[in-house]
């Protein structure tokens, strides 16, 4: 199926108004493009819940710091639209930048709570204000019933869920398990930056946090398990931003043994920053 491609908010709203008139529900899948099977899985899951799926592609300048990879972020619009069509997305919204940030735009949506858990926010201080501002706009522009997000970006999933709740945006945020390569590496648009050798080393991020989760299940304390994983990654040449164990819902440091836990990590391999997380 060839999806309908729209670039203006007016055209998007014409399509969604028609769906509403026909009594159809719809889900939105926000992405930055460079579509891979992690993204198309979100489309597949959206189709299970709603009659129609909109995928958005917008490389959001506000969530990149000056020294980050905005200019070289991989872009392949034609390929993306093809893949999204194959996955069953009915509409692809690729807004012109002025549809998101028109001249004079001066609002920032900014959260505390999970957005200040000391994980991504500590290493990318501009990141969540950029994410929540653009995601709030995409929720409001699309008016979707469901929003599909990957667990791969675990803190982001918690942050956008909290934002929709706090702002009474009538959308259900749905988290989808991480899609992985055969060796366990989480699919990511940024994996194309890895050299052949780095690509082989990269699997260690998933294996080390999986071992940490196993050790915690086996009775090891959370701090020692995180330290072991950090040491393993450093020994393999990673520069580790953090490996930490948090409450899976609040992202706060664990208080007692029976709360739901998540091992969450971010580390650099050469010039590529990888993030991953697993349930305990
Ligand atoms: P991105 O284009 O990287 O900003 O990601 C767009 C959406 O796809 C976010 O909700 C991500 O969490 C999700 N996503 C990215 N990679 C994966 C993956 N490997 N598995 C599941 N979801 C993913």
């Amino acid at each position: 199926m060839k999806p309908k491609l729209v670039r203006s908010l007016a055209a998007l709203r014409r399509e969604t108004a028609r769906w509403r008139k026909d009594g159809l529900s719809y889900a939105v899948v926000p992405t930055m493009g460079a579509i891979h099977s992690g993204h198309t899985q979100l489309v597949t899951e959206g189709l299970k819940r709603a009659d129609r799926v909109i995928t958005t592609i917008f490389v959001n300048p506000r969530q990149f710091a000056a020294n980050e990879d905005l200019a070289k972020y991989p872009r392949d619009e034609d390929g993306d639209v093809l893949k999204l069509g194959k996955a069953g997305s009915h509409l692809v919204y690729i807004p012109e930048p002025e549809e998101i940030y028109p001249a004079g735009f001066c609002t920032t949506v900014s959260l505390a709570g999970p957005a200040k858990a000391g994980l991504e926010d500590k290493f990318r201080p501009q990141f969540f204000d950029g994410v929540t501002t653009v995601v709030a706009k995409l929720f409001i522009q699309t008016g979707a019933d469901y929003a599909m997000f990957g667990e791969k970006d675990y803190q982001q999933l918690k942050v956008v869920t909290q934002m929709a709740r706090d702002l009474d945006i009538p959308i259900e945020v749905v988290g989808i398990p991480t899609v992985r390569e055969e060796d366990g590496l989480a699919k990511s648009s940024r994996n194309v930056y890895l050299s052949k050798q780095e690509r082989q080393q990269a699997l260690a991020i998933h294996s080390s946090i999986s071992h940490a989760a196993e050790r915690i299940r086996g009775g090891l304390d959370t701090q020692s398990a995180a330290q072991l994983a950090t040491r393993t990654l450093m020994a393999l040449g990673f520069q580790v931003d953090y490996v930490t164990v948090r409450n899976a819902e609040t992202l706060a440091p664990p208080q007692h043994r029976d709360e739901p836990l998540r091992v969450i990590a971010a580390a650099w391999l050469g010039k590529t920053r990888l993030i991953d997380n697993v349930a305990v």
Side-chain angles (χ1 to χ4, degrees), residues 21-159:
K21 198 164 144 265
D22 293 342
L24 300 174
S25 62
Y26 55 96
V28 63
V29 178
T31 80
M32 297 205 299
I35 296 300
H36 52 67
S37 54
H39 300 121
T40 55
Q41 183 63 26
L42 301 187
V43 173
T44 304
E45 294 294 331
L47 289 169
K48 289 184 190 165
R49 289 163 179 83
D51 301 309
R52 297 286 182 270
V53 171
I54 303 172
T55 307
T56 69
I57 298 179
F58 184 64
V59 183
N60 176 31
R62 288 192 178 218
Q63 68 192 65
F64 289 80
N67 61 337
E68 291 183 345
D69 57 342
L70 175 63
K72 70 165 186 166
Y73 196 82
R75 292 165 208 247
D76 174 19
E77 192 179 298
D78 294 344
D80 286 353
V81 173
L82 266 175
K83 288 178 201 162
L84 292 169
K86 259 196 196 154
S89 185
H90 299 83
L91 200 142
V92 181
Y93 176 44
I94 309 184
E96 303 291 355
E98 53 273 20
E99 294 289 10
I100 303 294
Y101 304 121
F105 184 84
C106 55
T107 296
T108 300
V109 178
S110 188
L111 269 70
K116 296 280 187 277
L119 305 171
E120 289 302 281
D121 51 300
K122 190 166 155 199
F123 294 89
R124 305 183 71 192
Q126 78 302 327
F127 179 66
F128 282 120
D129 282 3
V131 168
T132 43
T133 301
V134 79
V135 171
K137 291 208 56 149
L138 292 170
F139 284 3
I140 294 166
Q141 290 191 346
T142 60
D145 302 289
Y146 302 92
M148 316 306 294
F149 280 84
E151 287 184 348
K152 150 116 193 314
D153 301 270
Y154 197 77
Q155 188 180 10
Q156 170 176 278
L157 169 63
K158 296 299 164 192
V159 168

Side-chain angles (χ1 to χ4, degrees), residues 164-176:
R165 190 185 305 145
D166 287 355
L167 297 182
D168 303 314
I169 303 177
I171 197 164
E172 185 183 329
V173 177
V174 182
I176 301 300

